[in-house]
Structures are given as structure tokens and as C-alpha cells.
Amino acid sequence: MLSTLQPPRSLSLLPLRRFHCSKTIVSAASSSPATTSDAASVSPPQSQILTTRRSLLSGETTASEIAKSYLSRIRLTEPQLKCFLHVSENALKDAEEIDQRIARGEELGPLAGVIIGVKDNICTEGMPSTAASRILEHYRPPFDATAVKKIKELGGIVVGKTNMDEFGMGSTTEASAFQVTANPWDLTRVPGGSSGGSAAAVAARQCMVSLGSDTGGSVRQPASFCGVVGLKPTYGRVSRFGLMAYASSLDVIGCFGSTVADAGMLLHAISGYDRFDSTSSKQDVPEFESQFLSVDRFESKPLKGVKVGVIRETLEEGVDSGVRSATQEAASHLEALGCVLTEVSLPSFSLGLPAYYVIASSESSSNLSRYDGVRYGNQVMADELNKLYECSRGEGFGGEVKMRILMGTYALSAGYYDAYYKRAQQVRTLIRKDFKAALEQNDILISPAAPSAAYKIGEKKNDPLAMYAGDIMTVNVNLAGLPAIVLPCGLVEGGPSGLPVGLQMIGAVFDEEKLLKVGHIFEQTLKGSSFLPPLLPNVA
């Protein structure tokens, strides 16, 4: 709809590369297991950011050639995937400027030539930023969000704005006002949400990395569904200036990449204090890149002594057997790397989901009150003010947004505030205490990222309670303000060649460095695994 690229008349999606995974990692893959020789031939995933930098500095390729390649891939895949709401008209111009800087011998930023997608609720100057809502359909902000500004200053090329659930409210990207994004692993399935467009774009190699937002799991759950790495930082690590608010005490800007290194380097680029965001932290930002050693520099037990707590409540009833099996195999892999595994219990775990939806809906009711057709948003003409508000909001907001606004308004209303919002905040305190106690005894905690793999488009659209239950693994992390990373750990049955499953690693406040170290070693030593969707076009 908003994309400036015209799709080709026809396209057959062809396998680009088969997925290989050893039996020891995935016990329920639908495709035939790889032979020993095939599995051994799969090399560890490589950082696209570092590879791009080396290629540019060596003269092997140019930024313009890289940009043209990705724009070509977007043209070929968008008719099926629908990851982007808008594709930048300036991507090639930005790439040419980088080439000119190289020709002049100027120093390059660490993201020079890196093709980056940005979720549509993160403001980008001169480009549509609609939060996938009709009420902001024609909005083009006159400024960049702080995260986007930092990316551009470091040489990153913003290739476009990715699809999402309207204002971040949803778990499937079906609540977008404009289009439904498909999962690159199976076009009949959802990519997750609300950052489904950002996750699917990285999985389909339409961009190298992307930005998403995570209020209750909106980076981590789609990362699991699409087989990519999703990184949610500590609350305050990244400025929220320019991020359209959904629930201000929970929202964070997160990162997607095809490797842990890429997600970590993107996070480093956008982190740090921002005077425009009073909730941003002045905590020092470590040099994450130092954690990304090559496999040949690993010790025999590279994670020796690292204490890992397996959250008992995340592997009980309600979790698909394939997801449980893949998570247990991932835990065994960590143990083989030298980790010390223990089972931990979070007594307040089951309380997190209802508490989250009360708090998030209440804050969204307040935050979205500004979109009334007068202060912000498209205006519907009416004879009197109340009718103007009613029609502008009624026509501008979709069903999911309206439902959450009503839920939040009810929870904050006189007579119900103590029963709902106040009690939810008390539960939030309990959740923080339980996490703190568990992380005092363990370096990281692990769990599945979602109770199931990606489900069919439309399967849960008319059952909101079932859809909300899919967030049970992730919402507690936002309530506690902790960092977490999700990375693919195996496959379960479904789709042409299986569906990916994500492992969630949770760390202490501002301890992203440890999560990235453990995640990188896990990823690089996961023998015989290559999480590349089978539905990519064979682009030369």
C-alpha cells in the first residue's frame, strides 16, 4: 500500500538453501534429518554487519551494490511477505554517499552500508510513520527518533518502515490497518507480533538488521516465530524519544539480527543516555563487540561455571511438546558448554499475564487519548466537538486498539482503580522480587520464548484470550524491566521444512553483555544448524 516499490508481475518462491539440523538439537523436525556429513558442513552463522564492513574496506563490493541487492530482494519477496509499509526512496542515494566517503578516504562508521529496517512506530524524518494505523496514515515526522538518528550518524541505511500490529497492540501483525505479514518459513502462518514485519524482514534477508519495539514480548516472540535473534534491552538502556508510546513504563526499542553479534552491535549503536528522554539511563554502555569471539578461540568448555536457571513454570502444562523438547535440548547444550543448570521457581509467574494487560491497557488508554483529530491524527469533520472526537477516533482506530483503550479506561475509572490497576502494580512488585531472588543465585534464566511455534493466519484472530496467552513467557520480563535475548534453538513440525523455536535468556538489569556472550557461544556451537527459511527467492 505505502511501498514505493512496484512488485514484479509474477514470482515463484524457490528454495535458496536447505535447512540442516542435527537430531540432537531438534527432536520434532518435520523435514528429514540431515546426514552427518551435511550437518557438519554447515558453518556457524556469520555477522552481516562485520562482513559488510570488511567487504567495503577491501573494495570487494560497494555500498551501492549492496543496497541494490537488498532492494531487488524486497521487490521479489514483498508481494508474498508484505513486511514493509514503506520502502525508502533515498536508500540508493545514502549508499552512494558512503561510496563517495570511501573514495575520499574518510573514516566509516561501524554501521556503514548496513541495510536496516525500522518498525513503523519509530519516527523517521520525511518517511511515513503510521504505527500501522489509519489515524496516522499520512503522518511524516519532521524528526528522527534518537535510535534512528544514531543509526544514520554511524552510516546505517534505513531501507524502509516495517509492518506491525496497530500501535503495537497484538501478537501476530494481523492487527495492522494496512496488510497482514506472512512468515517466511510458511506463508500461511503469522510472523508473530507486534514487530512481525521487522522479524520477517530479517528472516527473509530483506534487510540485515532491524529495529522493533517490545512492550510485552513484541521483539522476542516474533524472533522465535521467524527463526532470528531478538534482543530486548533493559528498560532505560535505549532512548524512547521518537517511539510512539503504547505503555510508557514497559516500552523499549529492541533489535533483530540473523546472529547474536548483529543484534548486539545494533544495540550498542542505539544505546546511551538521551536528554530528550527522562527515563533513559546514564549507565555506561559496554563494548559488546568484545564478546563475539570466533569459534576457533573458544575453550573446550567456554561457559564453564556459568549458572543457568531453568524456569520451572515455563515448561509445564500449556507448552507444546515440541517446544518443550527443543528447550530441554538447548539446556543440555548449555550444560555441555560448561554451564551449571538448576531448576528455579518464580511463584508469581502466572500472575504476570493479567497484571501486564491491566497495566498496558491502562497506560495505552492515557497515551492514545492525544489522537483525537485535533491535537494529533486524521480529522473527520463534524458539527460539534464531541462528534468530531467520536468519528475521528472511531474511524481511525482498529478493533484491537479500541478494545484495549476501553479495557484501560475501565481499569482506571472511579471504583475500579484499586481493584485492577493498583493490584496489578502490586503484582508487578512481586514479579520483580522473584526475578531478583532467582538472578542472585543464577547468572541467567532460560525459558521458551513462546508456548508454541508460529500458528496459522486467522487461527487466533477471533479468540483474543488465546492470543494473549501466547505472551505468557515474555510479559514478566517487561514488568521487571530486565534484558532478554531470544535465539533459535531448533525446529518443530509444521510448514514445508519445520518451524523455528526460540530460546529465551533473561539477565539481570543492565547485564546485556553477559546475555550476548552466552547467546553468541550457544549460537556458534549449535552444530549442524542454519536457520534460513526455505521460501527465499533465488536472487543472484
Side-chain angles (χ1 to χ4, degrees), residues 1-5 78 82-88 118-121 127-133 160-165 173 176-181 197:
M1 39 77 46
L2 293 176
S3 176
T4 61
L5 291 178
E78 268 303 279
K82 295 182 172 61
C83 297
F84 284 89
L85 292 176
H86 174 81
V87 176
S88 174
V118 176
K119 188 175 178 180
D120 202 40
N121 62 344
M127 294 173 64
S129 300
T130 70
S133 178
K161 305 302 294 294
T162 56
N163 194 28
M164 57 180 285
D165 287 303
T173 312
S176 168
F178 303 117
Q179 60 192 31
V180 176
T181 299

Side-chain angles (χ1 to χ4, degrees), residues 90-426:
N90 298 318
L92 279 177
K93 179 182 176 183
D94 294 340
E96 289 168 359
E97 289 178 0
I98 292 171
D99 291 334
Q100 292 168 7
R101 292 188 61 187
I102 294 174
R104 292 193 297 265
E106 297 179 11
E107 186 175 348
L108 295 181
L111 296 182
V114 175
I115 307 299
I116 302 171
V118 176
K119 188 175 178 180
D120 202 40
N121 62 344
I122 302 173
C123 289
T124 47
E125 183 179 3
M127 294 173 64
S129 300
T130 70
S133 178
R134 293 288 181 190
I135 207 164
L136 288 175
E137 186 169 3
H138 304 294
Y139 178 56
R140 286 177 176 252
F143 67 97
D144 282 323
T146 297
V148 174
K149 181 181 178 182
K150 288 185 174 185
I151 283 171
K152 290 181 177 179
E153 288 173 347
L154 296 176
I157 299 173
V158 176
V159 74
K161 305 302 294 294
T162 56
N163 194 28
M164 57 180 285
D165 287 303
E166 185 179 4
F167 281 102
M169 300 181 189
S171 302
T172 64
T173 312
E174 293 173 285
S176 168
F178 303 117
Q179 60 192 31
V180 176
T181 299
N183 191 316
W185 288 83
D186 181 351
L187 298 180
T188 68
R189 296 179 185 267
V190 300
S194 62
S195 307
S198 289
V202 172
R205 304 307 190 259
Q206 293 180 323
C207 56
M208 298 179 189
V209 291
S210 64
L211 294 182
S213 65
D214 193 311
T215 304
S218 291
V219 164
R220 290 160 288 151
Q221 183 247 33
S224 177
F225 281 11
C226 293
V228 296
V229 177
L231 178 56
K232 175 219 172 286
T234 304
Y235 184 83
R237 172 69 84 186
V238 178
S239 170
R240 293 186 297 111
F241 179 74
L243 171 66
M244 298 175 190
Y246 163 18
S248 301
S249 72
L250 301 168
D251 296 339
V252 297
I253 292 178
C255 307
F256 291 99
S258 57
T259 65
V260 173
D262 284 338
M265 284 186 282
L266 182 59
L267 175 62
H268 185 270
I270 65 175
S271 294
Y273 173 73
D274 178 19
R275 64 188 180 90
F276 295 116
D277 177 12
S278 61
T279 65
S280 67
S281 173
K282 294 183 179 179
Q283 184 87 11
D284 290 339
V285 181
E287 183 55 63
F288 298 139
E289 190 173 338
S290 62
Q291 303 301 323
F292 308 134
L293 302 177
S294 60
V295 175
D296 55 10
R297 296 180 62 185
F298 289 169
E299 300 174 358
S300 58
K301 297 281 187 179
L303 294 178
K304 184 177 181 180
V306 175
K307 297 179 181 178
V308 177
V310 183
I311 303 175
R312 178 193 306 162
E313 289 81 1
T314 65
L315 294 173
E316 294 178 343
E317 186 178 354
V319 180
D320 286 2
S321 59
V323 171
R324 186 184 299 113
S325 176
T327 304
Q328 290 169 341
E329 292 290 347
S332 297
H333 182 60
L334 285 170
E335 192 169 32
L337 294 171
C339 293
V340 178
L341 265 61
T342 58
E343 185 179 81
V344 300
S345 177
L346 302 178
S348 61
F349 180 83
S350 63
L351 304 177
L353 195 64
Y356 165 80
Y357 274 102
V358 169
I359 292 172
S361 297
S362 297
E363 293 185 13
S364 72
S365 171
S366 176
N367 279 323
L368 270 64
S369 64
R370 70 192 72 176
Y371 302 104
D372 54 16
V374 176
R375 292 171 291 178
Y376 296 95
N378 294 333
Q379 185 180 97
V380 176
M381 299 305 297
D383 294 333
E384 52 95 20
L385 188 61
N386 285 337
K387 193 68 176 177
L388 183 151
Y389 289 156
E390 178 185 337
C391 294
S392 296
R393 290 168 66 82
E395 293 183 21
F397 289 139
E400 183 67 29
V401 173
K402 291 176 184 176
M403 180 168 64
R404 297 199 192 194
I405 289 174
L406 289 171
M407 287 168 55
T409 303
Y410 179 83
L412 293 174
S413 61
Y416 298 100
Y417 178 92
D418 288 348
Y420 293 104
Y421 186 75
K422 182 179 179 180
R423 184 169 294 181
Q425 292 288 16
Q426 291 170 336

Side-chain angles (χ1 to χ4, degrees), residues 231 234 237 260 264 267 286-292 302-309 334 339 438-446 483-485 487 505-522:
L231 178 56
T234 304
R237 172 69 84 186
V260 173
L267 175 62
E287 183 55 63
F288 298 139
E289 190 173 338
S290 62
Q291 303 301 323
F292 308 134
L303 294 178
K304 184 177 181 180
V306 175
K307 297 179 181 178
V308 177
L334 285 170
C339 293
L439 287 166
E440 284 175 350
Q441 302 298 320
N442 296 277
D443 295 300
I444 66 170
L445 307 177
I446 64 171
I485 189 170
L487 59 161
M505 299 180 181
I506 305 165
V509 172
F510 294 112
D511 203 5
E512 289 90 351
E513 190 172 19
K514 187 177 294 178
L515 287 177
L516 291 168
K517 176 182 178 180
V518 175
H520 175 69
I521 292 173
F522 177 94

